[in-house]
Amino acid sequence: PDKLIRETAAWALFQIDENQFKHHVGSLGYEVMKSLTETIIPNSQGKRSDLLLFDKVKFFDSIELFAGTPGLTLSYLADLSQTIFLKEGETISVDQENEQFYIVYEGEISNYQNGRLRKNFQQGEFIGEQLGNSGMLNANLILANRYTWLLSFN
């Protein structure tokens, strides 16, 4: 929750005064400054390089599986998740060696096994447990059908 509070406070300060944000975040040390800057300040295309923890918590709260889960628990889940950005046409290999579990935060992906389409996944859907184990390297691929954010868990 401390990271969530720090990130939310930094986001609010950025909304109020960008110069004050830069001044105060600069005093938190290089790694924290870099993380907050990349998460909060959009690039030239208006996109951030990562998702805010608060956005992840709101997202988890909107998924039926997590209905009734306390916000504190969702904040821990958000903190454990890794954000993966895929441009349209990019792929991830999800074979037996890959013990990752994914949730589509935004966008759409397709799962291919041995070159054949198995299933499409939309926002809020889980990927991992449905994937077959072919025993072959690069047999299971996730393909981004458009700009896609995945949340990954190990």
Side-chain angles (χ1 to χ4, degrees), residues 50 56 77-84 100 150-153:
D50 201 352
K56 292 179 184 182
L77 186 62
D79 200 30
L80 290 172
S81 68
Q82 299 294 316
T83 308
I84 298 173
Q100 299 293 94
L150 297 176
L151 299 178
S152 172
F153 301 88

Side-chain angles (χ1 to χ4, degrees), residues 3-154:
K3 185 176 177 185
L4 175 65
I5 293 167
R6 179 177 50 222
E7 190 176 272
T8 303
W11 175 84
L13 183 58
F14 179 78
Q15 301 306 308
I16 296 167
D17 187 329
E18 188 175 337
N19 290 327
Q20 286 295 318
F21 166 82
K22 290 177 181 176
H23 172 73
H24 288 288
V25 168
S27 67
L28 297 174
Y30 177 75
E31 289 302 319
V32 173
M33 178 191 71
K34 182 176 184 283
S35 173
L36 288 172
T37 301
E38 290 175 352
T39 302
I40 294 170
I41 299 178
N43 63 22
S44 59
Q45 289 85 32
K47 304 285 184 189
R48 295 181 306 215
S49 64
D50 201 352
L51 298 170
L52 294 168
L53 289 175
F54 184 73
D55 292 335
K56 292 179 184 182
V57 171
K58 288 190 321 184
F59 173 72
F60 292 140
D61 192 46
S62 73
I63 297 174
E64 187 176 334
L65 175 68
F66 299 116
T69 303
L72 184 60
T73 302
L74 296 178
S75 73
Y76 289 130
L77 186 62
D79 200 30
L80 290 172
S81 68
Q82 299 294 316
T83 308
I84 298 173
F85 167 71
L86 297 173
K87 294 178 184 174
E88 183 177 344
E90 285 188 318
T91 61
I92 297 175
S93 175
V94 286
D95 293 310
Q96 64 192 28
E97 296 84 13
N98 186 349
E99 297 180 8
Q100 299 293 94
F101 176 103
Y102 304 94
I103 301 175
V104 179
Y105 177 86
E106 180 182 304
E108 177 186 315
I109 60 169
S110 296
N111 170 232
Y112 288 86
Q113 185 175 38
N114 297 321
R116 291 190 169 165
L117 177 64
R118 293 195 62 218
K119 185 173 179 182
N120 290 317
F121 295 90
Q122 307 288 326
Q123 182 178 16
E125 291 188 294
F126 297 81
I127 305 109
E129 72 279 1
Q130 298 106 332
L131 300 179
N133 182 357
S134 69
M136 297 172 55
L137 194 60
N138 293 324
N140 280 303
L141 294 177
I142 291 175
L143 169 72
N145 297 327
R146 61 178 192 250
Y147 179 95
T148 300
W149 289 95
L150 297 176
L151 299 178
S152 172
F153 301 88
N154 189 353

